[in-house]
Amino acid sequence: MGPGYLSGMADLDVLVVGQIARDLVLLVDEVPEAGGSAPVRERRELLGGKGANQAVAATQLGARAGLLGVVGDDEVGERLLAGARADGIDVETVVRRPGTRTGLIVDLLDADGRWRYLEDLPEATLLTPADVAGAAGALRAARAVLVQLQQPGAAALAAVRTARSADRLVVLDGAPSDPDDADELLAGADVWRADAREVALLTGDAPRDAAAGLAAGRALRRRGPALVAVEVPGEGNAFVWPDDEVFVPLSVTPTVDDTGAGDAFVAALAVGLLDGEPAERAARYAVAAAGATVGHPGGRPALTRAAVAEQLARIPAR
Ligand SMILES: Nc1ncnc2c1ncn2[C@@H]1O[C@H](COP(=O)(O)OP(=O)(O)OP(=O)(O)O)[C@@H](O)[C@H]1O
Ligand SMILES: [Mg+2]
């Protein structure tokens, strides 16, 4: 992607609405049984949470990204904010909640790439409609607003309504926590992206092959979004948009930890579309960004131009 689409310093290309947490990734050969112990082979402590991962990915791809999420008023929150700033993320709209500890996600990863997450995500680290109202100006000013639907429904809806009212590109990732919100959320979205489990929450069925993925994409498109991306586990991702559709297989690459691949995927899709790429190219770019994220432990993307180009070349032709 060229840097040509970058806006001036004042406005953001993408404002990501979602979770911020401390990620502690511990690599072991094998997870011990109760009463046992295992040496940690590698330990990584990162800025994490799905919202932060998406903002990191967008920034790495050359976009000017901001973050609307919540950290506590503890020392960890301070550290995560400093980290996000150092990553080039605009943290103006990050809420520091008094009396709250910052979220923690422990990713216990074994040598076969199987993860177990231990999550300490206090209720107070979730976004509220008031948090979203406080960031209304930023939501209206960003070129695109990327909403991660694991946040409480009322906050997600408020973010979508605000972005919509200013005619911003609205990109949604995931399935609504409350199914009653699904219709309004989908109707308010330009782009909607989900993994197979999340598709099943909305349609009742997880797609098992390319044809089913494309069919699910067409069905979901009728509910509002112009472009829909649907995961077919182990196979690839189906993309459906007004003029056409395509199924893009997974890139052929070794998987160490698939954590964060969906976050890199949706960020790259949004950046590609903002950059004016045709849908099919943005789709392949998204898949390449996901492929470039599964090769290392932890959810934090490490997207470079070279890494994305290498993954593009590893996507099989169909
Ligand atoms: N080798 C690969 N090449 C390209 N894409 C991949 C590869 N492996 C996984 N992916 C894609 O990465 C995405 C993972 O999405 P998913 O939403 O499940 O992950 P996540 O956002 O990291 O985690 P969560 O389950 O918490 O949302 C899927 O779209 C999947 O097709
Ligand atoms: Mg996901």
Side-chain angles (χ1 to χ4, degrees), residues 53-282:
N53 289 341
Q54 292 170 11
V56 166
T59 306
Q60 290 171 342
L61 294 171
R64 196 170 145 68
L67 195 48
L68 170 52
V70 183
V71 295
D73 59 355
D74 50 0
E75 187 259 325
V76 174
E78 192 64 58
R79 224 181 329 136
L80 294 189
L81 277 177
R85 272 190 214 103
D87 284 330
I89 296 168
D90 187 310
V91 295
E92 197 67 34
T93 47
V94 172
V95 176
R96 292 211 71 181
R97 190 94 72 215
T100 301
R101 64 186 184 280
T102 296
L104 167 70
I105 301 171
V106 179
D107 175 7
L108 189 57
L109 188 64
D110 72 18
D112 295 322
R114 287 175 306 196
W115 47 253
R116 288 167 174 85
Y117 299 147
L118 303 173
E119 302 183 324
D120 177 31
L121 302 168
E123 180 91 30
T125 61
L126 299 176
L127 280 166
T128 66
D131 295 332
V132 174
L139 286 162
R140 289 197 199 98
R143 294 176 64 211
V145 173
L146 202 173
V147 182
Q148 191 229 299
L149 294 179
Q150 285 85 351
Q151 293 295 312
L157 261 181
V160 167
R161 284 182 190 138
T162 307
R164 182 95 254 145
S165 73
D167 224 14
R168 296 316 181 192
L169 184 78
V170 176
V171 182
L172 303 185
D173 177 51
S177 37
D178 182 348
D180 290 345
D181 296 334
D183 284 339
E184 191 185 344
L185 284 166
L186 283 171
D190 298 295
V191 177
W192 188 69
R193 182 267 147 190
D195 65 31
R197 190 190 52 84
E198 294 157 345
V199 171
L201 288 174
L202 279 166
T203 65
D205 254 324
R208 290 205 187 82
D209 57 25
L214 289 166
R218 275 180 235 122
L220 287 163
R221 230 180 66 75
R222 284 195 283 276
R223 296 173 65 177
L227 189 153
V228 172
V230 161
E231 181 209 16
V232 177
E235 303 276 331
N237 292 269
F239 298 80
V240 185
W241 65 94
D243 318 321
D244 210 350
E245 56 186 39
V246 65
F247 185 81
V248 183
L250 301 181
S251 66
V252 179
T253 196
T255 296
V256 173
D257 182 4
D258 64 7
T259 303
D263 302 326
F265 181 111
V266 72
L269 184 61
V271 171
L273 294 172
L274 276 181
D275 201 23
E277 294 289 344
E280 178 156 0
R281 275 181 59 119

